Amino acid sequence: MVATDLAGNSSASADNVCAIPKETNPPANPSNVELVTTTSAIVLSWVNPGDADFSGLKILRKTGSAPTSPTDGTLVYNGSGQTFTDSSIVSGVTYYYTLFAYDTSQNYSSWTSINGRLLTTVVNEICNNSLDDDADG
């Protein structure tokens, strides 16, 4: 290929160059997102989108509000599975999780968010047994 300008100047010969436009269609969101809490972990489960070019899913976690982009918050999962157990959390805090599906062209879905907190164990006082069951005196 040779390029020529309006003054008649020509470039050196070069091989043909072909530009392929990047695919820009994002995958669908994950579906059936569920959150189950225990006293020591939060377990998330979902169904991955069925897009032919689906590559993986990122889960980001925050406190205070839900992550709104694939870089907003702490990345806690990046893969193509359909469950994640978060045990690096503490009791008494609400955690917000946002799931972003992505494809082979690194297009991200809009997001799906869910939140939860660890269950706390409640010990009730049992009367008339002479024990301090709930440790309150």
Side-chain angles (χ1 to χ4, degrees):
M1 177 185 314
V2 176
T4 305
D5 64 16
L6 294 175
N9 301 312
S10 296
S11 68
S13 179
D15 293 335
N16 289 339
V17 177
C18 179
I20 299 173
K22 181 183 174 195
E23 187 272 322
T24 59
N25 294 324
N29 285 321
S31 59
N32 301 332
V33 177
E34 295 183 1
L35 181 145
V36 175
T37 60
T38 69
T39 57
S40 61
I42 291 177
V43 180
L44 299 170
S45 63
W46 62 90
V47 174
N48 288 327
D51 300 64
D53 63 345
F54 168 77
S55 182
L57 186 111
K58 286 185 178 183
I59 301 176
L60 285 98
R61 178 186 71 207
K62 278 178 60 176
T63 58
S65 65
T68 58
S69 78
T71 58
D72 179 27
T74 301
L75 178 66
V76 294
Y77 177 83
N78 187 9
S80 58
Q82 297 187 100
T83 61
F84 166 69
T85 300
D86 192 357
S87 56
S88 61
I89 53 179
V90 296
S91 183
V93 176
T94 299
Y95 292 94
Y96 297 83
Y97 298 88
T98 301
L99 292 73
F100 297 92
Y102 59 91
D103 63 19
T104 55
S105 297
Q106 296 300 304
N107 297 309
Y108 285 89
S109 67
S110 58
W111 44 277
T112 301
S113 286
I114 196 163
N115 67 71
R117 61 182 14 204
L118 292 178
L119 295 176
T120 55
T121 304
V122 177
V123 177
N124 293 318
E125 185 78 35
I126 301 172
C127 296
N128 299 323
N129 69 357
S130 72
L131 299 174
D132 185 14
D133 301 304
D134 61 2
D136 69 351

